[in-house]
Amino acid sequence: MVYFRLIAAACAGLLASTCAHADLSGNLQLHGFASQGAVQTSANRFYGNSPDTSFDFTEIGVTASWRLNPRLLLAAQALSRRAGEMSDGSPELDFALADINLIATDTHRAGLRIGRMKNRLGLYNETRDVPFTRPGIFLPQVVYFHKVRNLVLSTDGVQLYGELYRPFGTLSATLASGRPVIDENVEAALLRSNIPGQMKDRENSWLASLWFQSPAERLKLGLSGAAIALQQDWRLTPKTPTVDLLYWIASAQYNGPNWTISSEYMGLPTRWRDFSPVRPNRNQTTEGYYAQLTYRLAQPFELMLRYEEGFADRDDRDGTQLERLTQGMIPSQASSSRILSLGLRWDISRQWMLRAEYQRHNGNFILSEIENPDFRRFDKHWDLFAIQAAFRF
């Protein structure tokens, strides 16, 4: 896209100019974290061979930020994440960006970010890789899908952001455009079959968010979303197969003295075109929502209670149409998940944290197709128990 290249070129020129006048003795900060988890399930595979207890859940990250001058911040994070068969722990660039402060006054602020950026989607997407920032060991999976994590996690591109400060609170907004990060988990989740070719982006994605935050961060309201256009690199049909998604989240959170209530609703209209004869053209809207309470007990303990529901197609909540369409190859319980979670957090010190979590599942919608390739072996009712130890510096 011509306009995108022009913006990127202009930003690169500004960045070069700023660096030329930077104070190279600027403030350099290094932080990091590491966690190890164990997962045991009564049936189905979740983060590895969990029916036999899986230890294939490891997160290691190192973050560096460098404030060259008041207008320019450079930041990056390298991440190694092992998550069963979905991720093998190979080091990746989680984000790497230049944050340019364009305007800053007592009443408003505006800036520009260039590079690989975490997408501001929902309450937790920007910080979902850091165990200490999550409300539990796992995020609500019906909203923050672990099986398509990379697709919504970050974008390679440009982001404009702004904040407006008022006595009643702060209004903030972002607008971004760039290329999504796509891996085999995304293809498996969207196609649910082994179709030849490779999935890639068809054009730049667009992302936007609007947030309100009251004084002292008591109330937080947000609406965020991403429009993503994909295509399958496959030459066996007259037309190029395409998948178009609009992933959006409405968020609300209230912080009391010792407790926090959070709730989010996610909608995901998806359109498949020109995959025939493998699959007909189809439209569906995936939805998910949850309500969550975290209660801070006597220091240093915190309790988490959450209920969530998710449906692959909100017009086929019981999955009968999906089972009929696939001639029984995909059972009806694969189209929905209802999950009740209970978690306990123990902050041993500022650096060390232990967590335990129990989940009761009804349905298999949140399960990875890569880890569970034979849908007919799904167990509809299953339990999950996990523990995690985390360290940060």
Side-chain angles (χ1 to χ4, degrees), residues 1-262:
M1 301 173 75
V2 175
Y3 73 90
F4 182 78
R5 289 195 294 268
L6 289 174
I7 292 176
C11 293
L14 177 59
L15 179 60
S17 175
T18 306
C19 289
H21 296 86
D23 177 8
L24 297 182
S25 62
N27 186 19
L28 176 64
Q29 295 188 11
L30 291 174
H31 300 283
F33 60 88
S35 72
Q36 177 62 52
V39 184
Q40 201 278 331
T41 58
S42 60
N44 307 314
R45 293 171 63 93
F46 190 90
Y47 282 40
N49 187 20
S50 53
D52 292 332
T53 305
S54 171
F55 295 91
D56 295 337
F57 181 28
T58 308
E59 300 164 303
I60 302 173
V62 177
T63 306
S65 63
W66 192 7
R67 173 72 63 182
L68 276 79
N69 60 43
R71 294 190 60 197
L72 178 62
L73 173 70
L74 302 180
Q77 177 171 288
L79 179 70
S80 170
R81 183 174 184 269
R82 186 174 54 155
E85 296 177 44
M86 294 178 291
S87 181
D88 62 5
S90 298
E92 297 179 351
L93 194 62
D94 200 32
F95 66 85
L97 58 89
D99 188 334
I100 304 170
N101 189 356
L102 301 177
I103 303 171
T105 71
D106 293 337
T107 60
H108 61 276
R109 183 172 77 102
L112 184 69
R113 298 186 180 107
I114 312 166
R116 172 165 293 184
M117 303 157 295
K118 286 292 191 70
N119 298 327
R120 194 174 189 189
L121 295 170
L123 294 169
Y124 302 112
N125 191 67
E126 283 183 299
T127 59
R128 65 187 296 172
D129 291 324
V130 183
F132 291 84
T133 66
R134 297 194 293 257
I137 295 177
F138 307 106
L139 289 177
Q141 290 301 303
V142 301
V143 173
Y144 301 93
F145 306 112
H146 65 88
K147 57 185 181 179
V148 293
R149 169 184 171 277
N150 284 347
L151 184 65
V152 297
L153 179 69
S154 56
T155 299
D156 297 333
V158 175
Q159 180 190 84
L160 287 167
Y161 66 89
E163 295 179 346
L164 184 63
Y165 312 121
R166 289 293 182 263
F168 57 82
T170 299
L171 293 171
S172 60
T174 63
L175 178 62
S177 181
R179 304 186 63 177
V181 180
I182 304 169
D183 61 12
E184 61 179 2
N185 294 291
V186 174
E187 184 173 347
L190 292 178
L191 301 184
R192 280 187 165 176
S193 58
N194 187 17
I195 294 179
Q198 183 178 5
M199 183 167 284
K200 59 184 181 181
D201 57 302
R202 191 168 78 250
E203 58 187 45
N204 283 334
S205 298
W206 286 92
L207 305 97
S209 71
L210 180 63
W211 293 86
F212 166 75
Q213 191 165 282
S214 68
E217 301 184 4
R218 280 295 181 94
L219 177 65
K220 189 174 185 178
L221 302 172
L223 183 63
S224 51
I228 304 171
L230 307 174
Q231 68 181 37
Q232 188 75 2
D233 187 12
W234 188 27
R235 306 299 180 185
L236 298 184
T237 58
K239 298 181 180 179
T240 301
T242 61
V243 183
D244 295 294
L245 309 96
L246 178 60
Y247 173 81
W248 64 274
I249 304 174
S251 309
Q253 185 176 81
Y254 184 81
N255 291 290
N258 297 309
W259 46 269
T260 299
I261 297 177
S262 307

Side-chain angles (χ1 to χ4, degrees), residues 53 187 301-302 311:
T53 305
E187 184 173 347
F301 297 101
E302 182 179 275
F311 305 93

